């Protein structure tokens, strides 16, 4: 199956490209993204066939439907990455917490956030492609906390790939920072930036635009690639776990094949939600996809009013930092799917130039056939964390936003699956404030220990171990030093 561009083709690239090309060179014409030309279909027979099958078997069948140009042996190896999850047979277990509410626990991978679900297999595929082409790639990443560790872990010791990861010094949790700065693989470089996430991201952008930087990479025959959440190589793996959750409900006797469910997704860059949308479009019986936002409510506003407007908005730092976002990239793929390339290009150009776009009433109605959305605030999240911890279920602050959709948006008496995107251990200080109903923020280590004692739950061993590992990456630099630091790294490593 081939891939086409969300803003149309400008003539510089082929009008259609295979999967391998779309993931190696994810930037499409006019600043757009690659999307599959058509979507394969899954029917009730497909769902029945993968009842009681392993996650890997289902994943392989879904990838087969997309007819991607990746060798079978590479796909098998990529899917073998799920062996590093807590339960290799069931990397994403579905757990019941109310009679009609289920949690799709997507955080059982090496870095305890749902990003491992896609980045683990994707990292293997990208490296295998690079090796086959005999080309070295540098992957640049800027992170607010979860993407960095998951990207580093996905590419550690992978051939033909080097990763340079920028994080805002002081802007992540201790656990997130330690996950990055203790990564010992030689092909990884982690650099703290004096500034916030926006500074890290803009530093990355100016690097991509720097002629000296590009010339130095060229001298060493290193190409640039990206592993951010707009890469379709990640999205394809985010379709699978939604299908698996549905099948799990069939297996648990909650629904019969063909019955509809709700899926709720705590959203930032909209990759997880897009995976659910594609699954629905492929034929998974989903009533609606419910989106939750935190105080940065751009997505909830779009889906409720048709207006995407960031002119008066500035980023608010919340307890669910992975959802702190103003420009949510993957929404573009839904716009393309519903309204076509020409309209998508118009809307995205408006957003870039004027800081806003408005859907027509008809367009909004079309969007709302598949989506509904609601926003939340930190106080609500803290209350939910406490309520469920008291009942014996521990959920992180991102997951907690989903309860707002459960309480307000469920119009029909259908079961709901909410996506749990991180383990509580990544956000322990916030968790402790919720559980103790206190305003005092403790350190990560102290909060982990107190919660562990209070609730009688174990601190995940690999999180505990972070506090004893040697710090490998000590650089914290000003923005104008980043380029030279990365060039130094490339030279020393090659
Ligand atoms: C990345 C992330 C999200 C947001 O996912 P998107 O696919 O970007 O919408 C939500 N929660 C956590 C914990 C994350 O790491």
């Amino acid at each position: 199956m081939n891939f086409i561009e969300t803003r149309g083709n400008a003539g510089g690239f082929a009008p259609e490209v295979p999967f391998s090309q779309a993931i190696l060179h994810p930037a499409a014409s006019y600043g757009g993204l690659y999307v599959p030309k058509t979507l394969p279909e899954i029917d009730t027979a497909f769902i029945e066939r993968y009842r009681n099958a392993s996650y890997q078997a289902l994943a392989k069948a879904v990838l087969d439907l997309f007819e991607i140009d990746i060798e079978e042996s590479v796909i098998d190896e990529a899917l073998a990455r799920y062996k590093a999850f807590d339960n290799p047979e069931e990397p994403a277990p579905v757990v019941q917490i109310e009679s009609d509410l289920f949690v799709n626990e997507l955080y059982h991978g090496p870095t305890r956030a749902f990003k491992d679900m896609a980045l683990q297999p994707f990292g293997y595929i990208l490296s295998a492609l690079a090796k086959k082409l005999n080309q070295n790639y540098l992957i640049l990443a800027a992170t607010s906390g979860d993407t960095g560790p998951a990207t580093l872990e996905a590419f550690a010791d992978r051939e033909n790939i080097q990763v340079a990861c920028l994080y805002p010094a002081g802007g992540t949790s201790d656990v997130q920072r330690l996950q990055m700065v203790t990564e010992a693989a030689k092909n990884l470089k982690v650099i703290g930036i004096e500034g916030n996430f926006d500074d890290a991201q803009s530093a990355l952008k100016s690097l991509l635009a720097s002629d000296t930087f590009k010339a130095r990479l060229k001298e060493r025959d290193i190409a640039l690639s990206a592993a951010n959440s707009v890469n379709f190589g990640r999205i394809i793996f985010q379709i699978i776990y939604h299908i698996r959750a549905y099948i799990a409900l069939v297996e648990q006797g909650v629904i019969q094949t063909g019955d509809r469910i709700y899926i709720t997704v705590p959203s930032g860059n909209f990759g997880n939600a897009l995976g659910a949308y594609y699954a629905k479009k492929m034929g998974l019986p989903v009533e609606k996809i419910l989106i939750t936002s935190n105080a940065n409510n751009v997505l909830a506003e779009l889906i409720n009013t048709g207006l995407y407007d960031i002119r008066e908005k500035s980023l608010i730092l919340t307890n669910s930092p992975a959802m702190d976002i103003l420009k949510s990239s993957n929404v573009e793929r839904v716009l393309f799917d519903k309204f076509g390339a020409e309209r998508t290009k118009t809307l995205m150009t408006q957003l870039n130039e004027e800081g806003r776009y408005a859907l027509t009433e008809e367009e909004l109605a079309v969007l709302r056939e598949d989506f509904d959305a609601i926003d939340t605030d930190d106080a609500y999240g803290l209350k939910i964390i406490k309520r469920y911890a008291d009942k014996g279920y521990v959920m992180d602050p991102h997951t907690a936003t989903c309860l707002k959709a459960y309480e307000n948006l469920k119009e029909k008496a259908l079961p709901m699956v909410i996506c749990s995107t991180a383990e509580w251990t990544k956000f322990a200080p916030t968790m402790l404030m919720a559980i103790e109903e206190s305003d005092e923020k403790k350190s990560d280590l102290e909060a982990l220990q107190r919660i562990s004692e209070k609730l009688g739950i174990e601190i995940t061993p690999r999180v505990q171990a972070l506090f004893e590992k040697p710090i490998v990456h000590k650089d914290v630099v000003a923005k104008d030093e980043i380029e030279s630091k990365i060039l130094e790294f490339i030279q020393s490593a090659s």
Side-chain angles (χ1 to χ4, degrees), residues 283-427:
L284 194 72
V286 177
E287 175 68 19
K288 261 191 187 170
I289 298 151
L290 306 178
I291 303 301
T292 53
S293 302
N294 61 26
N296 298 288
N297 63 349
V298 278
L299 291 166
E301 199 166 272
L302 173 70
I303 293 164
N304 281 297
T305 69
L307 194 66
Y308 201 114
D309 190 350
I310 56 176
R311 287 172 304 177
E312 309 278 294
K313 291 191 164 81
S314 49
L315 200 74
I316 302 164
L317 299 179
T318 72
N319 287 342
S320 44
M323 298 160 69
D324 291 348
I325 196 161
L326 292 178
K327 281 196 180 178
S328 179
S329 313
N330 276 303
V331 173
E332 174 167 356
R333 287 186 161 113
V334 176
L335 297 179
F336 170 81
D337 195 68
K338 299 225 171 257
F339 314 126
E342 204 174 315
R343 181 66 174 151
T344 302
K345 184 167 172 238
T346 305
L347 294 173
M348 297 313 295
T349 305
Q350 276 177 10
L351 183 61
N352 285 335
E353 287 174 1
E354 299 160 31
R356 72 180 288 279
Y357 65 73
L359 302 180
T360 65
E361 250 171 63
E362 293 76 37
E363 286 170 337
L364 177 59
V366 170
L367 186 67
R368 291 183 59 85
E369 284 169 12
D370 294 300
F371 294 101
D372 202 352
I374 198 159
D375 59 8
T376 63
D377 57 26
D378 282 347
Y380 178 86
L382 294 170
K383 199 178 74 189
I384 292 295
I385 291 168
K386 167 83 175 149
R387 185 197 301 166
Y388 279 90
D390 286 347
K391 292 206 273 182
Y393 188 82
V394 184
M395 67 174 80
D396 99 296
H398 301 79
T399 311
T401 65
C402 294
L403 271 292
K404 188 91 181 258
Y406 174 70
E407 291 180 335
N408 294 277
L409 300 182
K410 202 159 135 348
E411 289 173 349
K412 297 188 182 168
L414 300 173
M416 178 183 287
V417 171
I418 63 177
C419 290
S420 183
T421 49
E423 187 178 65
W424 68 273
T425 54
K426 288 197 100 163
F427 304 98

Side-chain angles (χ1 to χ4, degrees), residues 112-115 145-147 176 229 234-235 238 241 265-274 299 320-323 325 328 330 396 398-399 420-423 426-427:
R112 317 317 281 175
F114 93 102
K115 291 180 172 70
D146 283 343
T147 301
Q176 290 171 322
S229 80
R234 285 176 60 179
I235 303 296
Q238 297 187 345
Y241 55 68
V265 186
S267 293
N269 223 4
F270 216 66
N272 197 353
L274 181 73
L299 291 166
S320 44
M323 298 160 69
I325 196 161
S328 179
N330 276 303
D396 99 296
H398 301 79
T399 311
S420 183
T421 49
E423 187 178 65
K426 288 197 100 163
F427 304 98

